[in-house]
Amino acid sequence: MSLLDIYETMDYGPAPESPAAVNAWLDEHERKFGMFIDNQWVSPEDVEYYPSYNPADGEKLADTAQAGQVEVDQAVHAARRAFESWSSTAGTVRARYLYALARNIQKHHRLLAVLESLDNGKPIRESRDIDVPLLARHFYYHAGWAQLMDRELSEYQAVGVIGQIIPWNFPLLMLAWKIAPAIAMGNTVVLKPASYTRLTALLFAEIVAEAGLPPGVVNVITGSSKAGSMIVTHPDVDKIAFTGSTEVGRILRRQTAGSGKKLSLELGGKSPFIVFDDADLDSAVEGVVDAIWFNQGQVCCAGSRLLVQENVAEQFISKLKARMQHMRVGDPLDKCIDMGAIVDQTQWDTVDGWVKTGTTEGGEVFQPDISLPEQGCFYKPTLITNLEPAAETVQEEIFGPVLVSLTFRKPGEAVALANNTRYGLAASIWSDNINLALDAASKVKAGSVWVNCTNLFDAASGFGGYRESGFGREGGVEGLFEYLRPAWQERPRPSFDPAEVSATWSTTTPARPTLPDNGRQSAKELPKVDRTPKMYIGGKQARPDGNYTRAVLGPKGELIGQIGDGNRKDIRNAVEAAHAAHTAKPGWAMRHAYNRSQILYFIGENLDARSVEFAQRLRVMTGQTLKSAQTEVELAVKRLFTYAAWADKFGGSVQETTLRGITVAINEPLGVLGIACPDEYPLLAFVSLMAPAIARGNTVVMVPSQVHPLSATDLYQVLDTSDVPGGVVNIVTGDRDHLTKTLIEHEDVDGVWYFGTAEGSYHTEYESAANMKRTWVNYGIAHDWENDETGAGHEFLHEATQVKNIWVPTGE
Ligand code: NAP
């Protein structure tokens, strides 16, 4: 037999990893686990215990407890007690603990990896070489931030007790993404792992104790979604950090609405994998394997929608099918397999159901002719071609090893198809033309974009979604802000009970526009010239659609003016104009930052030129003294200058990841923002909210103070003379809550800022769950607009942007 014959007939032999050490560990615990609270194992007798199975062979691994309200309360109290001292412990001391955690994770690397594979079904190659190394990396990286916090983040404080709920697809990695930044920044946590995969979180808890963390800093409770819900609604939890499905994310958004709890949501995805005709097709095929068959496709950012340029599609698909014939599916502990087991039979059934749906939708299903183990939850890598872009299998997250594929002709069509989804988690773009690839990367709406690579993660780079993939970032400096609050800010604790808030938004009935004795003139005087401000939409003055007018009353109840009473149609028109200004060529966001900054300076200059008139208007409207009105105008001008300055200084940064290449974090605008302004400081607050939004490239629909709107309607004359392109700023006057309701429901509005009542804040957050719009609300708490920190701090820039990370490897 020649060497070539041997080479061609050679098959892989098994290379199993031994589960002995894990079995010994499970036996040590008599295969029964309680919960980890206050650094103690709590094993209540009166709760139920549920089995955890190995999905590869159906064998029971251990039983874990189902937490109830008592255990959740116990864990939250422990975390609260620990918070007092942990948050005031020097960052350099916390860093030591995180460092110890990282070191101990490395000491137990193999045990963690094998247990992860047994519990979840993922290949040992992945848990050993990806999950556990990244787990350690996150603790090292955040040990660094703890070390630097006191100096580099001195304007911030810890948030408090954090409830963390994670899914089953990366049990250890998700735990690291949550716990490491939280405790580094001085918070304490109560973590609930997913029901399918609880065991590695418990092993990690042991490592916490071993590393000597003070009791109560990290608490792990096991339980079902009910226990998760108890954490979410617990009044003493200050923030919820959730990773899981968009469906559950929506529930959590509603449950926390109006409560003042911080919330970050890392949700589902249906990420595009774009192959241009000039790509290295063989590399791209390997990319697809990593994109969709890594972790059996149970990856939130899996490249599950293949988009191939039409002229190479046939060739590419045939290469892909050939590659699929060589994939190995089998025992997760075998070091030579490509794919392990699906986490559970229920998930297997869901995946299989989707493949059947693909067939009924007219798709052609391809599965390679490879063998699967006789028992266990194994599924073949699957490709479905010939589907329509609107097919359910193309639109919905399958969360399994199933790839759907479409074709495109031109780059513009590729981007349009890529963005034709409610999600926005990640994208992978393959082309040998760097200009083309980066152009597509800048246009795809997703939090992570990988150029000629896929599924790269590192603690130094934030990960998170756009649109219904959620909000908030995990990793990178951007991820720290999820666990920080400005030093001046208390946790808002609205005094009302959300359960008692009326189901509908409150609206005010406008005062009659004309009072009987107003404008009476002596016979000798000429009647006054009527001056009724209109709304401002698309750079033009617009009459209210409903032809209703509201009276604007002065401090003594006298009529001082009238404004249009805006309705849904006015908001829709304004959103359309804002959207057009955003997508125009070049849209507002695509203009040079220098140009945006010049326009902001120009607005400031023109406002300053009319400061006397604006001060008079404020005085008459609010009854404040002329001096304080002048101060308000001066501060508004100053704020415009501040954001003119920020317009070209918040673009992003280069992230220092482990990639040999470049990872850039870009602070992108959200898109179209709806902004409802408070009644206090009618000019200053309006400008303080509008300026950061437009400085960072958003287009806005402004709802001015409903009580004192006239300084805002005067301002459009300033905008008109300051080169602000039509549609960048739109002003709709009327009832704040009524107009905000339409903004929040509008599909083309990407974010809503609401500065009004506590109830309005509740409604804004609650209703935003429909399409997971990002919101920023004041919970009815008056803001100190005069102060530079509270009125123009980093929060404003942060709320006006979302971070996109673009990864570009280098090398030949
Ligand atoms: P899931 O059903 O949403 O569950 C996630 C976690 O939430 C689990 O711990 C679950 O507990 C708990 N939970 C369920 N209902 C709850 C409720 N009403 N209140 C509080 N907690 C509740 O998601 P999954 O099936 O575990 O994970 C898959 C999903 O996660 C996919 O959509 C995937 O895209 C997403 N994911 C996103 C990211 C990201 O970074 N964006 C990363 C990984 C995964 P039980 O397990 O006990 O039901």
Side-chain angles (χ1 to χ4, degrees):
M1 192 183 260
S2 72
L3 197 58
L4 188 61
D5 290 337
I6 294 173
Y7 183 76
E8 280 179 353
T9 55
M10 196 163 57
D11 206 357
Y12 290 94
E17 174 75 43
S18 165
V22 165
N23 282 327
W25 180 76
L26 292 171
D27 290 340
E28 227 175 80
H29 288 269
E30 296 173 352
R31 297 192 180 249
K32 190 171 178 189
F33 291 85
M35 287 161 268
F36 186 74
I37 300 174
D38 235 354
N39 280 15
Q40 305 284 328
W41 287 104
V42 175
S43 305
E45 286 306 316
D46 54 346
V47 302
E48 289 184 75
Y49 283 76
Y50 272 70
S52 194
Y53 295 103
N54 176 350
D57 59 12
E59 293 289 313
K60 186 169 114 176
L61 293 167
D63 286 312
T64 64
Q66 290 283 98
Q69 192 65 55
V70 173
E71 291 74 31
V72 170
D73 286 347
Q74 221 177 324
V76 173
H77 292 159
R80 173 60 61 196
R81 271 197 310 276
F83 178 71
E84 301 311 320
S85 55
W86 183 248
S87 57
S88 52
T89 300
T92 47
V93 176
R94 287 202 303 270
R96 289 282 171 101
Y97 286 111
L98 273 107
Y99 184 75
L101 275 173
R103 294 301 295 252
N104 281 290
I105 287 164
Q106 287 181 320
K107 285 181 214 161
H108 298 296
H109 188 143
R110 203 43 87 96
L111 188 64
L112 284 159
V114 176
L115 182 60
E116 189 79 322
S117 284
L118 284 173
D119 201 20
N120 168 278
K122 63 173 67 202
I124 184 73
R125 203 169 41 83
E126 293 175 7
S127 52
R128 183 196 59 199
D129 299 347
I130 299 170
D131 298 58
V132 178
L134 276 173
L135 173 71
R137 163 83 177 128
H138 272 264
F139 281 95
Y140 278 126
Y141 177 78
H142 288 97
W145 274 120
Q147 180 82 16
L148 301 174
M149 182 182 176
D150 296 343
R151 206 176 59 229
E152 298 298 318
L153 295 158
S154 59
E155 290 160 15
Y156 291 90
Q157 59 176 327
V159 171
V161 173
I162 317 288
Q164 306 188 315
I165 299 172
I166 56 172
W168 45 260
N169 60 337
F170 290 94
L172 280 172
L173 189 55
M174 294 301 104
L175 169 155
W177 286 13
K178 296 268 176 299
I179 295 182
I183 64 173
M185 295 296 102
N187 304 278
T188 54
V189 306
V190 176
L191 176 118
K192 186 195 94 66
S195 287
Y196 291 145
T197 52
R198 309 156 172 204
L199 299 179
T200 43
L202 297 169
L203 174 54
F204 175 80
E206 249 183 36
I207 293 175
V208 166
E210 198 176 292
L213 255 75
V217 172
V218 172
N219 304 276
V220 179
I221 64 151
T222 46
S224 66
S225 55
K226 274 196 195 146
S229 209
M230 288 169 199
I231 297 176
V232 173
T233 52
H234 199 292
D236 209 19
V237 167
D238 300 300
K239 175 193 160 100
I240 296 297
F242 172 79
T243 299
S245 59
T246 297
E247 200 188 353
V248 175
R250 248 189 265 290
I251 297 173
L252 268 52
R253 171 67 291 182
R254 292 188 177 125
Q255 280 180 324
T256 53
S259 66
K261 284 178 192 165
K262 259 179 100 111
L263 179 67
S264 50
L265 298 174
E266 302 287 351
L267 309 176
K270 189 78 179 181
S271 300
F273 187 104
I274 306 173
V275 183
F276 286 108
D277 59 4
D278 62 353
D280 173 346
L281 297 188
D282 293 316
S283 300
V285 165
E286 286 311 311
V288 170
V289 173
D290 278 347
I292 184 66
W293 293 308
F294 168 53
N295 203 26
Q296 298 70 252
Q298 304 164 134
V299 181
C300 51
C301 52
S304 51
R305 270 189 308 143
L306 174 64
L307 309 175
V308 196
Q309 198 149 11
E310 199 176 77
N311 52 337
V312 292
E314 208 179 310
Q315 189 191 0
F316 188 78
I317 295 292
S318 90
K319 278 176 183 277
L320 182 60
K321 286 180 177 172
R323 176 66 179 86
M324 288 166 75
Q325 295 287 8
H326 290 92
M327 290 199 61
R328 305 187 75 227
V329 182
D331 178 7
L333 289 192
D334 183 343
K335 292 166 200 151
C336 296
I337 56 124
D338 297 303
M339 273 172 54
I342 302 286
V343 72
D344 187 83
Q345 185 61 43
T346 317
Q347 184 65 13
W348 192 101
D349 293 343
T350 305
V351 171
D352 196 48
W354 275 115
V355 172
K356 293 194 169 90
T357 304
T359 311
T360 56
E361 287 181 321
E364 282 170 23
V365 175
F366 173 80
Q367 290 179 324
D369 185 16
I370 55 175
S371 62
L372 299 184
E374 279 170 14
Q375 58 159 353
C377 300
F378 295 95
Y379 205 89
K380 285 187 182 179
T382 304
L383 167 69
I384 314 182
T385 51
N386 204 33
L387 288 164
E388 295 293 328
E392 250 195 300
T393 35
V394 173
Q395 291 297 327
E396 298 300 325
E397 183 181 46
I398 295 176
F399 219 58
V402 182
L403 176 69
V404 297
S405 143
L406 303 172
T407 59
F408 65 89
R409 288 190 183 163
K410 298 240 167 85
E413 198 190 337
V415 170
L417 279 173
N419 287 337
N420 181 24
T421 166
R422 63 194 170 102
Y423 296 112
L425 198 51
S428 179
I429 298 169
W430 293 72
S431 165
D432 271 0
N433 177 344
I434 189 73
N435 303 341
L436 176 69
L438 288 182
D439 186 54
S442 72
K443 290 175 180 160
V444 169
K445 292 186 193 312
S448 296
V449 183
W450 296 292
V451 173
N452 292 327
C453 56
T454 192
N455 275 342
L456 297 184
F457 312 99
D458 186 63
S461 169
F463 183 88
Y466 283 31
R467 300 168 158 181
E468 293 194 31
S469 289
F471 42 79
R473 293 290 179 268
E474 297 193 304
V477 67
E478 60 267 36
L480 301 179
F481 295 105
E482 302 302 328
Y483 293 101
L484 291 171
R485 205 188 278 299
W488 50 266
Q489 196 183 61
E490 292 290 308
R491 163 173 163 196
R493 286 183 188 263
S495 52
F496 69 92
D497 177 0
E500 286 174 12
V501 174
S502 80
T504 53
W505 298 62
S506 66
T507 50
T508 55
T509 311
R512 282 176 53 208
T514 321
L515 297 180
D517 61 347
N518 185 65
R520 187 184 292 158
Q521 283 116 13
S522 77
K524 290 183 196 158
E525 279 180 52
L526 269 176
K528 284 186 190 155
V529 175
D530 183 79
R531 188 176 161 223
T532 305
K534 301 196 182 66
M535 304 194 190
Y536 186 63
I537 296 177
K540 298 195 180 79
Q541 297 185 32
R543 281 182 209 290
D545 170 76
N547 285 322
Y548 275 108
T549 308
R550 297 170 78 92
V552 181
L553 305 180
K556 296 195 179 107
E558 74 283 20
L559 182 77
I560 56 165
Q562 298 168 342
I563 48 146
D565 193 16
N567 65 13
R568 300 172 68 85
K569 181 75 167 68
D570 297 306
I571 290 286
R572 284 203 289 266
N573 292 343
V575 172
E576 199 177 314
H579 197 67
H582 192 69
T583 52
K585 290 192 177 148
W588 179 242
M590 298 301 272
R591 286 183 176 231
H592 300 298
Y594 174 41
N595 178 247
R596 290 201 303 270
S597 118
Q598 290 288 294
I599 289 173
L600 276 148
Y601 278 127
F602 203 12
I603 305 173
E605 188 184 317
N606 285 327
L607 177 60
D608 188 55
R610 294 175 60 175
S611 58
V612 175
E613 181 195 328
F614 270 86
Q616 282 294 359
R617 177 65 107 182
L618 286 173
R619 190 187 61 77
V620 172
M621 234 178 14
T622 63
Q624 61 185 309
T625 64
L626 187 59
K627 189 159 183 323
S628 90
Q630 279 164 342
T631 307
E632 182 169 345
V633 180
E634 276 163 26
L635 282 170
V637 172
K638 184 173 158 199
R639 212 130 281 174
L640 286 158
F641 271 61
T642 299
Y643 289 110
W646 274 120
D648 55 5
K649 294 173 193 66
F650 196 70
S653 57
V654 175
Q655 310 271 41
E656 301 196 54
T657 63
T658 46
L659 176 75
R660 180 172 162 226
I662 301 163
T663 310
V664 257
I666 300 174
N667 289 325
E668 291 198 335
L670 268 68
V672 175
L673 276 184
I675 301 182
C677 300
D679 291 329
E680 73 265 13
Y681 292 96
L683 177 67
L684 179 61
F686 184 98
V687 166
S688 301
L689 292 166
M690 174 197 78
I694 64 172
R696 295 307 329 155
N698 299 284
T699 56
V700 293
V701 176
M702 304 291 301
V703 177
S705 154
Q706 66 187 39
V707 184
H708 309 303
L710 297 176
S711 52
T713 48
D714 288 350
L715 196 70
Y716 66 58
Q717 296 157 10
V718 174
L719 301 175
D720 261 347
T721 52
S722 307
D723 291 348
V724 180
V728 170
V729 178
N730 305 276
I731 303 173
V732 179
T733 49
D735 183 287
R736 180 175 39 230
D737 284 6
H738 178 65
L739 298 175
T740 306
K741 180 175 186 296
T742 308
L743 281 168
I744 202 90
E745 286 168 356
H746 202 300
E747 289 291 332
D748 255 349
V749 173
D750 301 290
V752 170
W753 297 356
Y754 174 90
F755 284 71
T757 61
E759 293 200 8
S761 300
Y762 162 78
H763 284 300
T764 302
E765 289 192 334
Y766 189 93
E767 301 294 340
S768 72
N771 63 3
M772 302 313 299
K773 229 177 234 120
R774 217 170 110 181
T775 55
W776 183 28
V777 304
N778 72 337
Y779 302 104
I781 298 165
H783 216 72
D784 181 359
W785 293 102
E786 288 197 9
N787 182 304
D788 272 347
E789 192 46 43
T790 53
H794 184 270
E795 289 290 280
F796 290 77
L797 296 165
H798 176 69
E799 294 293 345
T801 51
Q802 52 193 343
V803 183
K804 174 191 274 182
N805 275 285
I806 302 180
W807 299 63
V808 190
T810 55
E812 291 175 20

